[in-house]
Amino acid sequence: MTTSETAAESRPAQPQDAQPTWQARLRRFGYSARPRVGTRERLVQPFPKPDLRFGAVFGLSPLAAARLARWSAWGAPLLVALVAGVLRFWQLGSPHAVIFDETYYAKDAWSLLQYGYEGSWPDKANDKILAPDQNIPLSPEGAYVVHPPAGKWVIALGEAMFQLNPFGWRFMTAVLGTLSVLMLCRIGRRLFRSTALGCLAGALMAVDGLHFVMSRTALLDLVLMFWVLAAFGCLLLDRDRTRTKLADALPPAASADAPVGARPGNGHAGSAAAAPPYAEGPDVRPDPETGARLRFGLRPWRLAAGLCLGLGFATKWNGLYILAAFGLLTVLWDMGARRTAGAPRPFLAVLRRDALPAFASTVAVAFVTYVASWAGWFATSGGYFRDWAEKDGAGGPWGWLPGPLRSLWHYESEVYDFHVGLTSGHTYESNPWSWLILGRPVSYFYESPKAGRDGCTDQGEGCAREVLALGTPLLWWAACFAVLYAVYRWLLRRDWRAGAVLCGIAAGYLPWFMYQERTIFLFYAVVFVPFLCLALSMMIGALAGPPGVSERRRTGGIVASGVLVLLIVWNFVYFWPIYTGQTIPMDAWRDRMWFETWI
């Protein structure tokens, strides 16, 4: 008779590395079983050892090559950001005009500097602002505006330094655009445990046309993108920090059970693209008590994420959807960590130990930050609807609330009605279904200089000068395949990195499908451009080949990856004139209008 205690002894002994027949047959086609991975490495994947072969190619000693590898962790991202900054600040004040919605945000930012709230501007104020003998016709009468003030305060910082002119109101978006490239390099490095793939993601965003144009325009969406990316980076740091603390609290594993030479836990093809990682400490074993009951204490990086998400929400309201998505993401990460650590009921463990602190440090902090962003409106008396509670809103069931808060609530309810009811047609509006394929980009600025005037040397039908908010086409079209690859990695390979990237894309993209009747534009997509670049970097890493593949496979993969990246860079260079408002012959402009919907 076989019982549960003797069942293991009743079967013939099997070799430890025995594989099912179908796996053995697949080995001839390159299949290899996933290596055993210890609990510590499943909780916190270590960074790979520096590969010294690159330094050896240039004749460096092993010590010098090791130093170069260490410095590259920051040096390479800083170099990518430097290139991105030079591109973004080159002739930043051109065109010398108020382009597209700068007519709202540049002037509102200046008003915040003067009064603490948005004042009123007369018709043709732009001409007076841009005139050689500048006249700023700003009135202290409160103006009705439909976006919170945080993003306009950011724009105002540049105006405070360089006055009310195109360079001044575009300065801070160029700064944030450059810093976001640096952040993406570092975020990609931490996400993929690869400096090369992290810098590739940052470089791809540096040459994305939509991100580039938005970095040179005083609109709010680039500011929102910066805070969203910063929050994502803070949550990644919090994830590593709390998982390291959890791993350190688990009991040590028996030495015989510790895997030898294991590589990263989920077998992400191309996520490291380097030598196998080294162990950052002795392995541990799951423990139900520790996994379920350990308290993580103060989590400063999650508080920082809440602050960034609040600043995003206080820039544009669609940041609220990203707040909800990232709040759910960090809770799911906690649940996965406790499950790996041995918690028998990880959902209950997270509900008891982590849910309330997570809510307080993300949602509560974000809403406090949002209210604080209205400090200038609270501190003054001239803002729109500022005294509504004392006049039209006196009394009522909410009379116990302070008057300024009731006035702000009324103001926000009016703004909400405006946003959901905005259905008036616009020449450049587009449906979100067409965004990923760049169906209808937005023209921010257009002029048609005549031959011999304003830099036009063409003697034919004249020239064109345009600033078109168009993503680099080859990058975006390749990113469509990268998103599908990320879905495959997440659903079928259980790759948490792919899930995190998809979360960022979905949070910035999918909510717009609920407002398809509203007037919306393709440039809203800049919010999830960093995550498209991460997805594309992950796919290119897989194309280059995972560790352990044949030399022929690796060579072919690297060549194919390099060709794709070079084509994307060439595509950015080709569209450079219509990203920067250069004067080009009309035929050259038409050559760049690949589709009628781009005109």
Side-chain angles (χ1 to χ4, degrees):
M1 179 179 293
T2 302
T3 67
S4 60
E5 296 179 355
T6 62
E9 299 177 357
S10 64
R11 296 191 301 269
Q14 297 288 335
Q16 185 175 359
D17 296 331
Q19 295 180 341
T21 303
W22 68 270
Q23 291 181 341
R25 291 177 178 174
L26 287 177
R27 290 183 63 179
R28 71 184 67 177
F29 299 103
Y31 172 84
S32 59
R34 295 187 183 184
R36 296 172 58 211
V37 177
T39 301
R40 178 180 290 277
E41 191 171 322
R42 290 174 60 200
L43 285 170
V44 186
Q45 178 186 341
F47 282 86
K49 278 186 177 181
D51 191 345
L52 307 182
R53 291 176 295 178
F54 179 78
V57 172
F58 296 94
L60 299 179
S61 66
L63 180 60
R67 288 177 178 173
L68 177 64
R70 287 197 302 271
W71 292 344
S72 68
W74 272 103
L78 285 171
L79 181 60
V80 174
L82 176 62
V83 173
V86 170
L87 294 175
R88 280 149 180 76
F89 279 94
W90 181 81
Q91 295 187 352
L92 181 61
S94 177
H96 186 75
V98 180
I99 64 175
F100 202 61
D101 280 355
E102 285 184 341
T103 188
Y104 304 117
Y105 308 127
K107 291 185 291 189
D108 285 347
W110 182 259
S111 180
L112 288 175
L113 283 177
Q114 308 308 310
Y115 304 130
Y117 61 89
E118 294 88 343
S120 299
W121 298 82
D123 294 337
K124 298 184 178 180
N126 295 343
D127 296 335
K128 297 180 180 181
I129 292 171
L130 295 172
D133 52 340
Q134 186 184 62
N135 177 24
I136 303 177
L138 174 61
S139 166
E141 181 182 356
Y144 178 71
V145 295
V146 295
H147 291 297
K152 288 170 280 189
W153 276 113
V154 171
I155 296 172
L157 292 177
E159 294 177 342
M161 291 184 281
F162 302 103
Q163 299 303 310
L164 186 61
N165 56 66
F167 182 87
W169 63 63
R170 295 170 191 160
F171 177 79
M172 283 306 299
T173 53
V175 169
L176 297 189
T178 303
L179 290 178
S180 65
V181 171
L182 175 62
M183 287 196 305
L184 188 62
C185 290
R186 292 288 298 177
I187 287 171
R189 180 180 184 272
R190 181 167 292 273
L191 187 68
F192 302 133
R193 297 303 197 254
S194 168
T195 301
L197 289 186
C199 289
L200 175 60
L204 289 172
M205 191 164 74
V207 297
D208 174 59
L210 181 60
H211 185 274
F212 176 78
V213 171
M214 297 297 289
S215 298
R216 294 167 53 89
T217 311
L219 269 64
L220 300 181
D221 301 85
L222 191 282
V223 182
L224 172 60
M225 181 279 306
F226 176 84
W227 294 123
V228 169
L229 184 60
F232 184 76
C234 290
L235 291 178
L236 271 181
L237 288 166
D238 173 73
R239 183 183 189 275
D240 279 358
R241 181 179 180 272
T242 54
R243 283 174 166 251
T244 299
K245 185 173 183 178
L246 188 57
D248 291 341
L250 291 174
S255 59
D257 296 333
V260 179
R263 64 182 177 85
N266 56 18
H268 180 351
S271 64
Y278 58 92
E280 294 188 345
D283 196 24
V284 294
R285 59 179 174 83
D287 178 66
E289 186 72 14
T290 303
R293 296 185 177 274
L294 181 70
R295 293 186 180 276
F296 295 126
L298 182 65
R299 299 172 67 166
W301 284 113
R302 195 158 68 178
L303 287 170
L307 175 64
C308 292
L309 290 168
L311 289 170
F313 178 31
T315 299
K316 289 193 76 172
W317 275 6
N318 51 311
L320 183 60
Y321 294 106
I322 298 166
L323 167 63
F326 282 8
L328 178 62
L329 180 67
T330 188
V331 170
L332 291 176
W333 280 352
D334 285 348
M335 191 165 69
R338 291 192 179 277
R339 179 190 295 111
T340 302
R345 296 180 178 84
F347 176 76
L348 292 178
V350 167
L351 197 61
R352 293 169 180 168
R353 307 290 181 186
D354 306 317
L356 184 59
F359 179 86
S361 56
T362 54
V363 178
V365 169
F367 273 89
V368 169
T369 302
Y370 178 85
V371 174
S373 72
W374 289 86
W377 186 85
F378 284 126
T380 56
S381 58
Y384 201 84
F385 277 140
R386 176 60 180 80
D387 57 354
W388 176 86
E390 288 74 23
K391 296 180 178 179
D392 299 335
W398 298 97
W400 56 274
L401 279 175
L405 287 179
R406 286 189 290 124
S407 296
L408 180 61
W409 179 262
H410 175 72
Y411 192 175
E412 300 292 63
S413 65
E414 293 288 322
V415 170
Y416 177 80
D417 291 339
F418 166 83
H419 280 302
V420 298
L422 183 60
T423 58
S424 57
H426 193 283
T427 304
Y428 292 104
E429 67 178 312
S430 60
N431 191 284
W433 285 106
S434 68
W435 288 0
L436 289 181
I437 58 172
L438 304 174
R440 181 60 170 163
V442 180
S443 180
Y444 286 174
F445 173 83
Y446 182 84
E447 286 182 348
S448 299
K450 301 299 182 181
R453 298 180 57 185
D454 299 326
C456 180
T457 59
D458 186 82
Q459 298 302 316
E461 53 183 323
C463 299
R465 187 184 182 202
E466 183 175 27
V467 176
L468 186 65
L470 171 72
T472 304
L474 292 185
L475 189 156
W476 280 67
W477 297 338
C480 292
F481 295 97
V483 171
L484 295 177
Y485 174 73
V487 171
Y488 155 74
R489 293 293 316 177
W490 179 51
L491 291 179
L492 301 182
R493 301 303 297 272
R494 312 301 297 170
D495 189 339
W496 71 271
R497 299 167 185 80
V501 171
L502 290 172
C503 177
I505 296 173
Y509 184 31
L510 296 184
W512 291 111
F513 286 90
M514 297 187 296
Y515 303 100
Q516 295 186 59
E517 299 300 323
R518 186 186 183 276
T519 307
I520 53 181
F521 303 93
L522 185 148
F523 66 81
Y524 296 169
V526 74
V527 174
F528 59 86
V529 163
F531 302 97
L532 291 180
C533 294
L534 287 172
L536 185 54
S537 179
M538 183 168 62
M539 186 182 75
I540 290 175
L543 181 62
V549 298
S550 67
E551 193 67 23
R552 182 177 180 181
R553 163 69 177 84
R554 174 57 63 91
T555 301
I558 291 177
V559 169
S561 301
V563 168
L564 175 58
V565 173
L566 289 176
L567 286 175
I568 290 172
V569 174
W570 165 83
N571 204 207
F572 173 75
V573 173
Y574 179 72
F575 284 100
W576 171 268
I578 63 172
Y579 291 149
T580 56
Q582 303 296 301
T583 301
I584 58 177
M586 188 64 70
D587 287 340
W589 175 81
R590 289 197 187 99
D591 289 342
R592 288 163 174 81
M593 298 297 106
W594 288 358
F595 304 98
E596 291 184 0
T597 56
W598 291 8
I599 300 175

